[in-house]
Short mmCIF file of all heavy atoms in Angstrom, two decimals:
data_model
loop_
_atom_site.label_atom_id
_atom_site.label_comp_id
_atom_site.label_asym_id
_atom_site.label_seq_id
_atom_site.Cartn_x
_atom_site.Cartn_y
_atom_site.Cartn_z
N GLU A 296 26.47 -18.20 10.43
CA GLU A 296 25.80 -19.49 10.57
C GLU A 296 26.25 -20.46 9.48
O GLU A 296 26.52 -21.64 9.75
CB GLU A 296 24.29 -19.31 10.54
CG GLU A 296 23.69 -18.54 11.71
CD GLU A 296 23.82 -17.03 11.56
OE1 GLU A 296 24.18 -16.56 10.46
OE2 GLU A 296 23.53 -16.31 12.54
N GLN A 297 26.32 -19.98 8.25
CA GLN A 297 26.81 -20.83 7.17
C GLN A 297 28.26 -21.22 7.41
O GLN A 297 28.65 -22.38 7.19
CB GLN A 297 26.68 -20.12 5.83
CG GLN A 297 25.27 -20.08 5.29
CD GLN A 297 25.20 -19.53 3.87
OE1 GLN A 297 26.03 -18.74 3.44
NE2 GLN A 297 24.18 -19.96 3.13
N ALA A 298 29.07 -20.29 7.86
CA ALA A 298 30.48 -20.58 8.12
C ALA A 298 30.62 -21.67 9.17
O ALA A 298 31.50 -22.55 9.07
CB ALA A 298 31.21 -19.32 8.56
N ALA A 299 29.75 -21.65 10.18
CA ALA A 299 29.81 -22.65 11.24
C ALA A 299 29.45 -24.04 10.73
O ALA A 299 29.95 -25.06 11.23
CB ALA A 299 28.89 -22.26 12.39
N ASP A 300 28.59 -24.10 9.71
CA ASP A 300 28.16 -25.38 9.15
C ASP A 300 29.18 -26.00 8.21
O ASP A 300 29.11 -27.19 7.90
CB ASP A 300 26.82 -25.23 8.41
CG ASP A 300 25.67 -24.96 9.36
OD1 ASP A 300 25.80 -25.29 10.55
OD2 ASP A 300 24.65 -24.42 8.90
N GLY A 301 30.12 -25.18 7.72
CA GLY A 301 31.13 -25.68 6.79
C GLY A 301 30.72 -25.47 5.35
O GLY A 301 29.54 -25.43 5.02
N SER A 302 31.70 -25.32 4.47
CA SER A 302 31.44 -24.94 3.09
C SER A 302 30.65 -25.98 2.31
O SER A 302 29.96 -25.64 1.34
CB SER A 302 32.75 -24.64 2.35
OG SER A 302 33.59 -25.78 2.32
N ASP A 303 30.71 -27.24 2.72
CA ASP A 303 29.94 -28.26 2.00
C ASP A 303 28.44 -27.99 2.07
O ASP A 303 27.69 -28.44 1.19
CB ASP A 303 30.23 -29.65 2.58
CG ASP A 303 31.61 -30.15 2.21
OD1 ASP A 303 32.22 -29.56 1.30
OD2 ASP A 303 32.08 -31.11 2.85
N ALA A 304 28.01 -27.25 3.07
CA ALA A 304 26.58 -26.99 3.26
C ALA A 304 26.07 -25.85 2.40
O ALA A 304 24.85 -25.72 2.21
CB ALA A 304 26.29 -26.68 4.73
N TYR A 305 26.99 -25.02 1.85
CA TYR A 305 26.51 -23.85 1.11
C TYR A 305 27.22 -23.60 -0.21
O TYR A 305 26.73 -22.81 -1.03
CB TYR A 305 26.63 -22.60 1.99
CG TYR A 305 28.05 -22.24 2.39
CD1 TYR A 305 28.92 -21.59 1.51
CD2 TYR A 305 28.52 -22.54 3.67
CE1 TYR A 305 30.21 -21.26 1.88
CE2 TYR A 305 29.82 -22.22 4.04
CZ TYR A 305 30.65 -21.57 3.16
OH TYR A 305 31.95 -21.26 3.52
N ARG A 306 28.34 -24.24 -0.47
CA ARG A 306 29.17 -23.86 -1.63
C ARG A 306 28.45 -24.02 -2.97
O ARG A 306 28.76 -23.29 -3.92
CB ARG A 306 30.47 -24.66 -1.63
CG ARG A 306 30.29 -26.16 -1.78
CD ARG A 306 31.62 -26.89 -1.58
NE ARG A 306 32.64 -26.36 -2.47
CZ ARG A 306 33.95 -26.57 -2.30
NH1 ARG A 306 34.37 -27.30 -1.26
NH2 ARG A 306 34.81 -26.09 -3.15
N ASP A 307 27.48 -24.91 -3.07
CA ASP A 307 26.79 -25.13 -4.33
C ASP A 307 25.46 -24.37 -4.44
O ASP A 307 24.76 -24.50 -5.43
CB ASP A 307 26.52 -26.63 -4.52
CG ASP A 307 27.81 -27.41 -4.68
OD1 ASP A 307 28.76 -26.86 -5.27
OD2 ASP A 307 27.87 -28.56 -4.21
N LYS A 308 25.14 -23.58 -3.43
CA LYS A 308 23.91 -22.79 -3.49
C LYS A 308 24.11 -21.59 -4.41
O LYS A 308 25.22 -21.09 -4.57
CB LYS A 308 23.52 -22.31 -2.09
CG LYS A 308 23.18 -23.42 -1.10
CD LYS A 308 22.80 -22.83 0.26
CE LYS A 308 22.59 -23.93 1.30
NZ LYS A 308 21.39 -24.72 1.03
N PRO A 309 23.04 -21.06 -5.02
CA PRO A 309 23.17 -19.86 -5.84
C PRO A 309 23.55 -18.66 -4.97
O PRO A 309 23.18 -18.61 -3.79
CB PRO A 309 21.78 -19.69 -6.45
CG PRO A 309 20.87 -20.43 -5.53
CD PRO A 309 21.66 -21.59 -5.00
N PRO A 310 24.30 -17.71 -5.52
CA PRO A 310 24.79 -16.58 -4.71
C PRO A 310 23.73 -15.50 -4.51
O PRO A 310 22.87 -15.27 -5.35
CB PRO A 310 25.96 -16.05 -5.54
CG PRO A 310 25.56 -16.35 -6.96
CD PRO A 310 24.83 -17.66 -6.90
N ALA A 311 23.83 -14.82 -3.37
CA ALA A 311 22.94 -13.70 -3.07
C ALA A 311 23.69 -12.67 -2.23
O ALA A 311 24.65 -13.00 -1.52
CB ALA A 311 21.70 -14.17 -2.31
N VAL A 312 23.26 -11.43 -2.34
CA VAL A 312 23.69 -10.39 -1.41
C VAL A 312 22.46 -9.95 -0.64
O VAL A 312 21.36 -9.87 -1.20
CB VAL A 312 24.35 -9.19 -2.13
CG1 VAL A 312 25.68 -9.59 -2.73
CG2 VAL A 312 23.44 -8.61 -3.20
N VAL A 313 22.64 -9.67 0.64
CA VAL A 313 21.52 -9.29 1.51
C VAL A 313 21.70 -7.83 1.91
O VAL A 313 22.70 -7.48 2.57
CB VAL A 313 21.45 -10.20 2.74
CG1 VAL A 313 20.31 -9.75 3.67
CG2 VAL A 313 21.26 -11.65 2.33
N LEU A 314 20.75 -7.00 1.52
CA LEU A 314 20.81 -5.58 1.80
C LEU A 314 19.69 -5.17 2.74
O LEU A 314 18.52 -5.51 2.52
CB LEU A 314 20.65 -4.77 0.50
CG LEU A 314 21.53 -5.12 -0.69
CD1 LEU A 314 21.20 -4.22 -1.87
CD2 LEU A 314 23.00 -4.99 -0.33
N ASP A 315 20.03 -4.43 3.78
CA ASP A 315 19.02 -3.72 4.55
C ASP A 315 18.41 -2.66 3.64
O ASP A 315 18.96 -2.36 2.57
CB ASP A 315 19.69 -3.08 5.77
CG ASP A 315 18.74 -2.18 6.54
OD1 ASP A 315 17.66 -2.64 6.93
OD2 ASP A 315 19.10 -1.00 6.75
N VAL A 316 17.28 -2.09 4.03
CA VAL A 316 16.64 -1.07 3.18
C VAL A 316 16.87 0.34 3.72
O VAL A 316 17.50 1.17 3.06
CB VAL A 316 15.12 -1.36 3.04
CG1 VAL A 316 14.42 -0.20 2.31
CG2 VAL A 316 14.92 -2.65 2.27
N ASP A 317 16.36 0.63 4.90
CA ASP A 317 16.38 2.01 5.38
C ASP A 317 17.77 2.47 5.78
O ASP A 317 18.45 1.86 6.59
CB ASP A 317 15.41 2.15 6.56
CG ASP A 317 13.98 1.88 6.13
OD1 ASP A 317 13.56 2.45 5.10
OD2 ASP A 317 13.29 1.08 6.80
N GLU A 318 18.21 3.56 5.16
CA GLU A 318 19.51 4.17 5.35
C GLU A 318 20.64 3.29 4.82
O GLU A 318 21.81 3.57 5.03
CB GLU A 318 19.77 4.52 6.81
CG GLU A 318 19.06 5.74 7.36
CD GLU A 318 17.67 6.02 6.81
OE1 GLU A 318 16.67 5.54 7.38
OE2 GLU A 318 17.57 6.74 5.81
N THR A 319 20.29 2.22 4.10
CA THR A 319 21.27 1.39 3.40
C THR A 319 21.02 1.45 1.91
O THR A 319 21.95 1.64 1.12
CB THR A 319 21.18 -0.07 3.90
OG1 THR A 319 21.50 -0.12 5.28
CG2 THR A 319 22.14 -0.97 3.13
N VAL A 320 19.76 1.30 1.53
CA VAL A 320 19.35 1.38 0.13
C VAL A 320 18.49 2.63 -0.11
O VAL A 320 18.67 3.32 -1.10
CB VAL A 320 18.57 0.10 -0.27
CG1 VAL A 320 17.88 0.27 -1.61
CG2 VAL A 320 19.52 -1.09 -0.32
N LEU A 321 17.57 2.90 0.80
CA LEU A 321 16.69 4.06 0.68
C LEU A 321 17.02 5.10 1.75
O LEU A 321 17.19 4.76 2.93
CB LEU A 321 15.22 3.64 0.80
CG LEU A 321 14.69 2.72 -0.30
CD1 LEU A 321 13.22 2.40 -0.05
CD2 LEU A 321 14.87 3.36 -1.69
N ASP A 322 17.07 6.35 1.32
CA ASP A 322 17.39 7.49 2.20
C ASP A 322 16.10 8.10 2.73
O ASP A 322 15.32 8.68 1.97
CB ASP A 322 18.20 8.52 1.40
CG ASP A 322 18.39 9.83 2.14
OD1 ASP A 322 18.15 9.87 3.36
OD2 ASP A 322 18.77 10.82 1.49
N ASN A 323 15.89 7.98 4.04
CA ASN A 323 14.69 8.52 4.67
C ASN A 323 14.94 9.81 5.43
O ASN A 323 14.14 10.19 6.29
CB ASN A 323 14.10 7.47 5.63
CG ASN A 323 13.76 6.19 4.93
OD1 ASN A 323 12.81 6.11 4.17
ND2 ASN A 323 14.54 5.14 5.20
N SER A 324 16.03 10.49 5.13
CA SER A 324 16.33 11.72 5.87
C SER A 324 15.23 12.78 5.75
O SER A 324 15.05 13.58 6.68
CB SER A 324 17.68 12.30 5.44
OG SER A 324 17.68 12.64 4.06
N PRO A 325 14.43 12.83 4.64
CA PRO A 325 13.32 13.79 4.63
C PRO A 325 12.31 13.55 5.76
O PRO A 325 11.72 14.50 6.28
CB PRO A 325 12.68 13.59 3.25
CG PRO A 325 13.80 13.09 2.39
CD PRO A 325 14.60 12.20 3.30
#
């Protein structure tokens, strides 16, 4: 979505990484 809007719409925003939780950050195999 950001890519479609063009870099002027997001290039000056603070950076973030977006992580899923289950089976990405936390292991729920038990």
Side-chain angles (χ1 to χ4, degrees):
E296 294 81 10
Q297 284 188 332
D300 290 339
S302 61
D303 287 345
Y305 63 79
R306 63 188 306 163
D307 294 326
K308 296 180 186 291
V312 291
V313 178
L314 310 179
D315 173 54
V316 172
D317 296 312
E318 284 35 90
T319 298
V320 168
L321 296 180
D322 171 14
N323 301 289
S324 61

